[in-house]
């Protein structure tokens, strides 16, 4: 039994596009890719196609995440990894994914684009939006190929126990992949499951440089999975997905000096998260502030719509999450800099005076 037995059979037979850079690397007199021989002299040389999976960045990310490089695939954000997984594992009109709402919206969007069904197993509101993995297991039939677990979860901020996620993966071995989206894991107390993706072939972990590493504009994210899954996804990716300036930005963000700064920023965000959480609970009209393992706080208000508009009128933009099940009175607030958070609190307190 191979984990690829879960993939679309038609893709297994496909030989992916063989790009010039893949066939011959980038040393020598390069006359094989119909590129211009003349780099623009006002910019870093961009006349050559980039490596499909730049080896230096891949090695660096593998080291950072504690995994072997062949198990790691770099793409344009974890968004692209979600899309690739759904396209590779779900046959249109036949297969399905499991999501646990309130959940990150892209899982269901990618499934809809692919023509895959979406089975919803809601987080349990009465237990602080904890997952119900027994219900997830019960929802997995032969059609389900992917189970998405967001840890920490966007938009509720909680995170499942590592032991429970590993037990879920073990229980689904040979039946479905468990895809653990760790976009916010740097802000959590518990460490990443990425190293575990090496020992379980149906456990896939998604990481990103968009959040803690302050690189959302470069669009660099990773999938960590069994090497054969990485190879399968490479076949359906475009030939040169990673723009050279973005690869360079990612390398710069991973040098020792930048990583030290990132560590400071993560610590500052966690401190601000706690300070903001406590301060928000004292604001009139705040019903509940969810505890969070991520870089945002989800907050229930007496009148979330009015609060949203009030903040917007002052140029403070938070996320309206009232469309999510169970969050009909909530807004999601990213933890900003101390100055930004102070501005937010000042505006919310202002409202208190007006309505008092
Ligand atoms: N997963 C989750 C849970 C997210 O919140 C986001 C960003 N909103 C992403 C994935 C996508 O991140 P990116 O594509 O920037 O890596």
């Amino acid at each position: 039994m191979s984990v690829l037995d879960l993939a679309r059979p038609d893709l297994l037979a496909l030989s992916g596009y063989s790009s010039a850079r893949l066939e011959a690397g980038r040393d020598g007199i390069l006359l094989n890719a119909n590129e211009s021989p003349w780099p623009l002299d006002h910019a870093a040389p961009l006349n050559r196609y980039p490596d499909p999976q730049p080896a230096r960045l891949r090695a660096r990310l593998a080291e950072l995440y504690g995994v072997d490089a062949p198990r790691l695939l770099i793409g344009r954000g974890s968004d692209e990894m979600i899309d690739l997984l759904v396209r590779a594992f779900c046959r249109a009109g036949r297969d399905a994914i499991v999501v646990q709402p309130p959940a990150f919206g892209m899982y269901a969007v990618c499934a809809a684009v692919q023509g895959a069904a979406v089975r919803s197993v809601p987080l349990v509101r009465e237990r602080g939006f904890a997952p119900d993995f027994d219900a997830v297991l019960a929802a997995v039939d032969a059609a389900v190929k992917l189970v998405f677990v967001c840890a920490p979860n966007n938009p509720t901020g909680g995170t499942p126990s590592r032991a429970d996620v590993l037990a879920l993966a073990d229980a689904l071995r040979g039946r479905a992949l468990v895809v653990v989206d760790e976009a916010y894991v740097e802000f959590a107390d518990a460490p990443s499951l990425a190293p575990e993706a090496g020992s379980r072939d149906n456990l896939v972990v998604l990481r990103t440089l968009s959040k803690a590493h302050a690189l959302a504009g470069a669009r660099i994210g990773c999938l960590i999975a069994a090497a054969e899954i990485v190879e399968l996804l490479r076949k359906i990716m475009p030939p040169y997905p990673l723009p050279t300036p973005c690869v360079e930005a990612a390398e710069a963000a991973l040098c020792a000096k930048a990583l030290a700064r990132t560590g400071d920023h993560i610590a500052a965000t966690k401190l601000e998260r706690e300070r903001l959480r406590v301060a928000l609970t004292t604001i009139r009209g705040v019903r509940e502030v969810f505890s969070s393992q991520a870089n945002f706080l989800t907050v229930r208000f007496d009148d979330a719509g009015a609060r949203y508009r009030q903040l917007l009128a002052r140029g403070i933009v938070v996320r309206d999450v009232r469309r999510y099940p169970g969050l009909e009175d909530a807004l999601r607030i990213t933890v900003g800099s101390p100055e930004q958070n102070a501005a937010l609190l000042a505006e919310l307190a202002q409202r208190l005076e007006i309505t008092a």
Side-chain angles (χ1 to χ4, degrees):
M1 158 87 206
S2 154
V3 69
L4 292 187
D5 292 345
L6 297 169
R8 279 172 48 193
D10 52 325
L11 288 184
L12 297 180
L14 176 85
S15 39
Y17 177 71
S18 181
S19 68
R21 201 89 321 138
L22 208 55
E23 285 173 4
R26 53 188 312 139
D27 294 329
I29 298 175
L30 297 176
L31 302 177
N32 63 340
N34 300 344
E35 298 150 328
S36 165
W38 298 292
L40 290 176
D41 49 26
H42 63 262
L46 295 177
N47 57 318
R48 299 294 174 191
Y49 285 110
D51 289 339
Q53 286 292 303
R56 204 167 49 203
L57 178 60
R58 204 180 187 200
R60 191 73 193 87
L61 286 164
E63 187 189 358
L64 182 71
Y65 297 146
V67 303
D68 295 335
R71 292 186 174 276
L72 184 141
L73 181 68
I74 315 170
R76 290 160 293 188
S78 27
D79 281 340
E80 181 174 36
M81 296 301 145
I82 296 163
D83 183 49
L84 290 176
L85 282 167
V86 174
R87 283 197 283 134
F89 283 86
C90 295
R91 293 165 297 179
R94 295 174 70 173
D95 293 329
I97 68 166
V98 168
V99 299
Q100 302 175 77
F104 180 50
M106 280 302 289
Y107 314 138
V109 168
C110 291
V113 171
Q114 176 64 9
V118 178
R119 307 260 163 85
S120 287
V121 181
L123 300 175
V124 184
R125 184 175 176 165
E126 300 72 37
R127 290 198 284 119
F129 289 101
D132 182 348
F133 286 155
D134 289 337
V136 168
L137 274 178
V140 174
D141 58 18
V144 171
K145 296 295 189 287
L146 305 173
V147 172
F148 283 94
V149 175
C150 192
N153 188 53
N154 177 13
T156 53
T159 201
S161 94
R162 289 163 53 84
D164 288 352
V165 177
L166 293 175
L168 180 71
D170 287 342
L172 290 176
R173 187 126 195 260
R175 294 164 63 199
L177 300 188
V178 173
V179 183
V180 187
D181 182 345
E182 294 190 333
Y184 301 97
V185 76
E186 290 89 346
F187 304 105
D189 297 329
S192 166
L193 282 169
E196 309 296 331
S199 56
R200 289 166 170 84
D201 65 2
N202 69 325
L203 181 68
V204 176
V205 171
L206 308 182
R207 302 289 304 261
T208 181
L209 298 187
S210 292
K211 311 291 181 184
H213 292 273
L215 221 58
R219 311 302 300 122
I220 299 283
C222 297
L223 166 139
I224 295 146
E228 56 262 47
I229 294 179
V230 169
E231 285 313 309
L232 174 68
L233 299 184
R234 280 188 78 163
K235 285 204 287 190
I236 63 170
M237 249 178 150
Y240 304 112
L242 304 169
T244 299
C246 299
V247 171
E248 289 174 354
E251 284 178 349
L254 299 179
C255 74
K257 198 168 150 211
L259 282 184
R261 252 200 12 236
T262 295
D264 291 345
H265 289 156
I266 292 168
T269 297
K270 289 166 83 170
L271 270 179
E272 278 296 298
R273 178 178 72 197
E274 180 57 12
R275 199 181 70 84
L276 190 58
R277 187 189 67 76
V278 171
L280 282 166
T281 57
T282 69
I283 303 270
R284 183 186 290 185
V286 167
R287 291 180 180 164
E288 182 184 358
V289 185
F290 292 32
S291 68
S292 171
Q293 293 278 296
N295 67 340
F296 55 81
L297 290 164
T298 295
V299 184
R300 293 191 194 283
F301 289 91
D302 284 343
D303 189 346
R307 289 300 204 177
Y308 180 80
R309 291 187 297 276
Q310 174 202 0
L311 291 169
L312 199 58
R314 289 306 189 101
I316 300 173
V317 190
V318 299
R319 186 83 163 192
D320 187 350
V321 291
R322 290 178 294 158
R323 66 186 177 283
Y324 288 91
L327 300 181
E328 292 79 4
D329 56 356
L331 303 176
R332 192 195 70 194
I333 302 173
T334 302
V335 178
S337 66
E339 298 74 26
Q340 292 171 334
N341 301 332
L344 170 94
L345 288 169
E347 183 53 33
L348 289 173
Q350 186 73 20
R351 168 81 172 195
L352 182 63
E353 280 168 29
I354 293 166
T355 55

